[in-house]
């Protein structure tokens, strides 16, 4: 329940940022919710992994359809499942920073937030040789000092424009309609490698990815989308 409530807050935050970004170029400061370049390109994103089972399943589906995505990983999960992180890196998908331990950064000092970001960054760098450039705050929470921290650490902050609600065990057909019925070029779609309990993410991917491809959409990483 606590997760559901906090995610509701995240959705509200997202709407605030989206509203704020309407007249901006691609985002609000360094917070990107979508690209407004008007192309038929979209970015799939997966949070909270890597997961020893679902990350591999997702990567297999992406490979089957020849599409790419961005994974916002949790540092401690990468330490626990290093092979799953390497699979993401080897697939060519982008890896973003989602903190080391998925904490409430809105309740932390600036120094502690920096430590969470840098600790996750170090895990990613040590396993892939690449430094991430994208940061997604857990549950979309953006404390007022985050943008100065992200600028200092050379990160773009990324939220989303379509929430599939897969974290709430949204049935596969509802996830698909949330994407297909609402999609515009430039959207960033939020999904998860891992949700507690039944996972409907993979079933939905098998339906909406080929559908969007048939509609002429191209899947790109978030960095490619925001340029
Ligand atoms: Zn998360």
């Amino acid at each position: 329940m606590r997760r559901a409530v906090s995610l509701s807050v995240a959705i509200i935050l997202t709407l605030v940022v989206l509203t704020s970004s309407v007249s901006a170029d691609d985002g609000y400061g360094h917070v990107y919710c979508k690209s407004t370049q008007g192309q038929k390109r979209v970015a799939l994103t997966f949070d909270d992994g890597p997961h020893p089972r679902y990350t591999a399943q997702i990567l297999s589906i992406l490979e089957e359809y020849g599409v790419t995505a961005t994974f916002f990983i949790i540092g401690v999960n990468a330490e626990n499942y290093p092979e799953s992180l390497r699979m993401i890196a080897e697939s060519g998908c982008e890896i973003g920073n989602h903190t080391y331990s998925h904490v409430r950064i809105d309740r932390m000092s600036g120094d502690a937030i920096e430590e969470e970001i840098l600790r996750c960054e170090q895990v990613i760098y040590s396993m892939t040789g690449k430094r991430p450039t994208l940061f997604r705050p857990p549950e979309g929470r953006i404390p007022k000092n985050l943008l100065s921290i992200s600028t200092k650490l050379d990160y773009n902050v990324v939220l989303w424009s379509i929430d599939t609600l897969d974290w709430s065990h949204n049935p596969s057909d509802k996830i698909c309609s949330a994407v297909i019925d609402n999609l515009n070029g430039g959207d960033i779609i939020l999904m998860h490698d891992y949700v507690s309990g039944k996972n409907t993410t993979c079933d939905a991917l098998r339906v909406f990815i080929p559908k969007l491809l048939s509609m002429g959409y191209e899947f790109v990483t978030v960095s490619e989308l925001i340029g």
Side-chain angles (χ1 to χ4, degrees):
M1 180 57 75
R2 189 174 67 82
R3 179 176 170 83
V5 170
S6 57
L7 278 161
S8 298
V9 174
I11 292 164
I12 292 167
L13 275 171
T14 303
L15 290 173
V16 169
V17 176
L18 276 172
T19 303
S20 303
S21 68
V22 167
S23 59
D25 293 328
D26 284 338
Y28 174 65
H30 292 273
V31 179
Y32 292 88
C33 299
K34 63 181 295 178
S35 166
T36 55
Q37 293 175 14
Q39 298 171 333
K40 259 190 145 175
R41 307 204 302 170
V42 295
L44 265 178
T45 66
F46 299 93
D47 287 10
D48 297 354
H51 184 272
R53 178 177 172 193
Y54 295 120
T55 300
Q57 288 184 8
I58 290 167
L59 287 170
S60 173
I61 295 169
L62 298 179
E63 184 181 11
E64 183 179 336
Y65 292 105
V67 302
T68 192
T70 302
F71 290 76
F72 288 94
I73 67 99
I74 298 170
V76 69
N77 287 353
E79 286 183 340
N80 288 332
Y81 310 113
E83 199 49 45
S84 298
L85 186 77
R86 288 192 191 96
M87 286 176 69
I88 300 173
E90 288 167 5
S91 75
C93 288
E94 184 167 21
I95 296 174
N97 187 323
H98 197 42
T99 71
Y100 179 77
S101 51
H102 208 267
V103 280
R104 285 280 305 259
I105 63 171
D106 55 322
R107 293 177 175 172
M108 296 167 61
S109 69
D111 285 349
I113 295 172
E114 280 192 38
E115 188 178 330
E116 273 287 329
I117 295 173
L118 291 173
R119 197 172 173 195
C120 180
E121 177 180 308
Q122 181 55 35
V123 171
I124 294 170
Y125 185 77
S126 68
M127 292 183 187
T128 69
K130 285 187 180 173
R131 196 189 76 79
T133 60
L134 306 177
F135 176 68
R136 175 172 281 166
E139 300 176 356
R141 296 176 184 278
I142 299 185
K144 58 178 183 285
N145 57 350
L146 181 61
L147 291 184
S148 64
I149 293 169
S150 62
T151 300
K152 175 183 170 189
L153 301 182
D154 202 19
Y155 277 89
N156 284 315
V157 178
V158 177
L159 293 181
W160 55 85
S161 50
I162 292 181
D163 186 351
T164 61
L165 303 179
D166 62 341
W167 54 269
S168 69
H169 311 120
N170 207 14
S172 169
D173 60 332
K174 292 230 168 33
I175 291 176
C176 291
S177 56
V179 174
I180 295 166
D181 298 346
N182 298 303
L183 195 73
N184 290 295
D187 275 325
I188 297 174
I189 302 166
L190 172 66
M191 303 189 87
H192 294 79
D193 295 46
Y194 171 71
V195 296
S196 60
K198 181 170 167 49
N199 184 313
T200 54
T201 304
C202 291
D203 288 345
L205 288 172
R206 289 190 176 284
V207 175
F208 80 70
I209 287 178
K211 175 68 176 174
L212 297 188
L213 288 172
S214 74
M215 293 165 70
Y217 283 99
E218 178 189 4
F219 290 83
V220 296
T221 64
V222 170
S223 285
E224 290 169 335
L225 187 78
I226 66 179

